[in-house]
Amino acid sequence: MTGYAYYPGCSLSGLGKPYDESLRAVFGHLGLGLTEIPDWNCCGATSYMSVSEDKAVALAARNLVLAERMGADVVAPCAACYLVLSKAQHMMADYPALAARVRKGLRTAGLEYTGKAVVRHPLDVLVNDVGLDDIRAKVTRPLEGYRVAPYYGCQVVRPYGAFDDPLRPQTLDRLLAAVGARVVEYPLKAHCCGGSLMGTMEEIGVRLNFLLLKEARARSANVLATACPLCQYNLESCQGRMRRAFNEDVSLPIVYFTQLLGLAFGLSPASLGLQRNLATAEPLPVMA
């Protein structure tokens, strides 16, 4: 096949649906083939590794085998999925004994792992395969007035995000600048939002998210762009709790970077899932 094997993962089938919709729309607009992996399964997220290392790797590796059959690189937009699939691939390469056990388990299901499918993040594909010049050429509505804080989170660029610097990443910055946005200097761009702490240690989770938004506002951002469904959910849905906890309004619209690209390409807000976002503010379109 030509194009990419698409691994949406569980989040993009649920709360992260706007990411899925906007990614498909943007890739389609750019003429990038994106074929969903048939019969994909949950990657196990980051928690499954604590249950059983062998089973966690096998669970993720099954998806890689299905992608290998398609003869294409894997595009995994969810930060956790990208991390888990990349980790499984690295563990299969670096730990022969574990790899032998996982291969044995996969064979019982008629699957043979070869390690040929490369796990890619959409940022990597857009910047390094498509290129910023071709991205600029597609812009019909430059994002003038958008002062964007680029937020990568902690899982896209480390430890396996070899396409960018793990501490001072730039791919998202460069991509947003190419579509006409003003990208603000945001030193917390690769800091953690707390992930699942919002549901287990809420006080810590709320504080971590508050600090991220407070810094973005201090840098005069009027929107924060992310590449992670859990980051997007935490930063967007918990703004009321932040305000009550710290008696300070740090509210900002939290969008997926693919939604901003789609707007710059002139795609309709509905096709990008913007009506599903909880918070919108000028200059973002306000959805009914």
Side-chain angles (χ1 to χ4, degrees):
M1 64 170 287
T2 58
Y4 302 90
Y6 180 39
Y7 180 76
C10 305
S11 292
L12 272 72
S13 302
L15 288 173
K17 189 65 175 175
Y19 195 7
D20 173 75
E21 292 172 332
S22 55
L23 179 79
R24 291 177 189 267
V26 164
F27 269 53
H29 189 70
L30 292 172
L32 299 174
L34 197 64
T35 303
E36 188 168 329
I37 297 173
D39 197 34
W40 60 266
N41 58 266
C42 176
C43 72
T46 54
S47 58
Y48 204 66
M49 191 64 71
S50 65
V51 177
S52 167
E53 189 173 73
D54 286 10
K55 292 176 181 177
V57 174
L59 192 69
R62 179 182 181 275
N63 295 303
L64 300 177
V65 173
L66 297 177
E68 288 171 4
R69 290 178 171 178
M70 299 170 68
D73 288 352
V74 182
V75 170
C78 170
C81 294
Y82 173 72
L83 171 66
V84 170
L85 295 177
S86 299
K87 183 174 184 176
Q89 195 164 51
H90 278 79
M91 292 185 74
M92 290 291 285
D94 297 340
Y95 300 96
L98 178 144
R101 295 192 300 270
V102 170
R103 282 193 169 92
K104 181 179 179 181
L106 290 171
R107 288 192 191 105
T108 64
L111 302 172
E112 188 67 41
Y113 176 85
T114 67
K116 292 180 180 178
V118 179
V119 182
R120 309 281 301 279
H121 192 273
L123 286 173
D124 177 19
V125 171
L126 291 170
V127 172
N128 296 314
D129 289 6
V130 179
L132 296 179
D133 288 341
D134 285 349
I135 295 289
R136 290 188 191 95
K138 289 287 186 177
V139 174
T140 60
R141 181 191 171 192
L143 299 183
E144 298 175 0
Y146 288 65
R147 301 187 301 276
V148 187
Y151 182 59
Y152 299 74
C154 58
Q155 295 180 320
V156 170
V157 294
R158 59 182 183 267
Y160 302 113
F163 65 91
D164 211 333
D165 186 280
L167 298 178
R168 301 182 67 85
Q170 291 297 315
T171 47
L172 180 55
D173 300 56
R174 295 166 62 204
L175 193 57
L176 292 170
V179 297
R182 175 189 164 193
V183 182
V184 305
E185 182 66 26
Y186 188 49
L188 302 185
K189 61 172 68 175
H191 283 225
C192 183
C193 72
S196 58
L197 284 179
M198 194 64 78
T200 56
M201 303 177 72
E202 183 177 331
E203 182 178 347
I204 296 174
V206 169
R207 177 168 176 77
L208 288 172
N209 283 273
F210 170 77
L211 293 174
L212 291 172
L213 291 184
K214 183 179 177 69
E215 182 66 21
R217 297 256 304 206
R219 300 280 172 163
S220 299
N222 59 10
V223 61
L224 183 146
T226 187
C228 172
L230 186 53
C231 294
Q232 198 278 339
Y233 174 78
N234 282 342
L235 288 165
E236 182 182 58
S237 68
C238 301
Q239 293 181 13
R241 277 182 273 181
M242 298 178 212
R243 185 166 52 250
R244 291 190 295 273
F246 299 100
N247 195 31
E248 183 175 349
D249 182 16
V250 292
S251 59
L252 274 179
I254 313 297
V255 302
Y256 294 105
F257 76 95
T258 44
Q259 292 179 308
L260 293 183
L261 293 184
L263 288 176
F265 295 156
L267 304 181
S268 71
S271 72
L272 304 171
L274 274 164
Q275 75 278 9
R276 302 183 192 276
N277 291 61
L278 296 178
T280 56
E282 293 297 342
L284 291 174
V286 178
M287 305 306 299

